[in-house]
Amino acid sequence: MSLPHAILTALLEKPSSGLELTRRFDKSIGYFWSATHQQIYRELGKLEADGLIRALPAEQPARGQKKSYEVLPAGRAELERWTSAAQDPKPMRDTLLLRLRAAAVVGTAGIEADLRRHLQLHERQLAEYREIERRDFPPGRDGPQDRLHHLILRAGIDLETFWTQWLAHALEEFAALPDGRAAEPGGAAVTDGSASNGGAGTTPPR
């Protein structure tokens, strides 16, 4: 349900067309909730059909003119309900961590280079977030909306900082592996307590 609520949020900030929403997602909301042009248009149709938004009347109707949308009272009420409702944190699912678990069993060939690539990508994203912070949140800009927007940006900065530090540490660990491998193919360097010693393995799952 998060994409329609992201759209309601964006439209409450400023009535927009589908194309304008796509551009705004690319520049801001998309950093933490991405959506394609087609997904946004599809959700706009659903929100309009549900009576949560409406298309603004065009000043000079013309064929092919882009419709702009605004949020109706029912849409604002739905966004308020969703914002105030309790939600549990989602468990982390990351393919890279699963690949490392697999590498502990089948060997690490190729994965170190991808760790370096991931590190470069996270370093680039971190630099972009810090530049946004420098540009958009100078000292003294501390209105209620600014503080919340900055808080969101800080989450991105802190997350990218974590990944750059963790990936740097992971590469240090890889450099210390014998022959660059965590385990020979078919080996059992890492177990989850179900090794061939009768299930009495002492190495904890990683």
Side-chain angles (χ1 to χ4, degrees):
M1 289 292 291
S2 294
L3 178 55
H5 294 99
I7 292 174
L8 287 172
T9 299
L11 291 178
L12 277 171
E13 292 173 343
K14 178 184 177 182
S16 304
S17 68
L19 180 58
E20 290 168 339
L21 280 173
T22 299
R23 290 170 177 166
R24 291 172 64 194
F25 266 71
D26 288 342
K27 293 180 180 179
S28 57
I29 295 176
Y31 283 118
F32 56 89
W33 198 272
S34 61
T36 66
H37 184 75
Q38 291 80 7
Q39 288 172 324
I40 288 172
Y41 269 89
R42 185 164 57 247
E43 290 299 335
L44 284 171
K46 292 178 181 178
L47 290 168
E48 187 175 22
D50 291 341
L52 302 183
I53 65 172
R54 70 163 184 167
L56 290 169
E59 295 180 1
Q60 295 180 342
R63 185 172 180 177
Q65 185 175 13
K66 299 178 181 65
K67 293 192 295 185
S68 289
Y69 296 89
E70 69 174 1
V71 178
L72 294 171
R76 185 182 187 94
E78 168 55 23
L79 188 59
E80 290 174 348
R81 181 206 64 77
W82 180 77
T83 301
S84 62
Q87 293 187 1
D88 292 334
K90 292 185 178 295
M92 183 171 68
R93 297 178 63 185
D94 192 286
T95 305
L96 179 60
L97 302 182
L98 183 58
R99 289 169 61 207
L100 283 175
R101 176 75 180 222
V105 179
V106 300
T108 61
I111 198 169
E112 183 175 359
D114 204 38
L115 287 173
R116 295 188 184 280
R117 185 179 68 87
H118 277 244
L119 177 58
Q120 291 173 354
L121 292 172
H122 284 290
E123 288 175 336
R124 189 181 310 160
Q125 187 66 73
L126 177 58
E128 183 175 347
Y129 283 158
R130 284 177 170 161
E131 173 58 24
I132 293 172
E133 183 180 43
R134 184 200 64 77
R135 182 193 69 205
D136 293 347
F137 299 99
R141 185 172 177 178
D142 58 357
Q145 189 176 63
D146 292 326
R147 292 171 73 100
L148 290 176
H149 286 178
H150 195 185
L151 185 64
I152 297 166
L153 179 60
R154 284 300 318 176
I157 290 173
D158 291 347
L159 183 60
E160 294 301 329
T161 299
F162 159 76
W163 278 115
T164 55
Q165 292 175 347
W166 181 86
L167 284 161
H169 175 69
L171 288 167
E172 291 175 358
E173 290 292 319
F174 265 67
L177 293 176
D179 301 323
R181 301 180 70 84
E184 292 300 323
V190 177
T191 72
D192 57 5
S194 58
S196 59
N197 59 355
T202 58
T203 305
R206 293 178 173 84

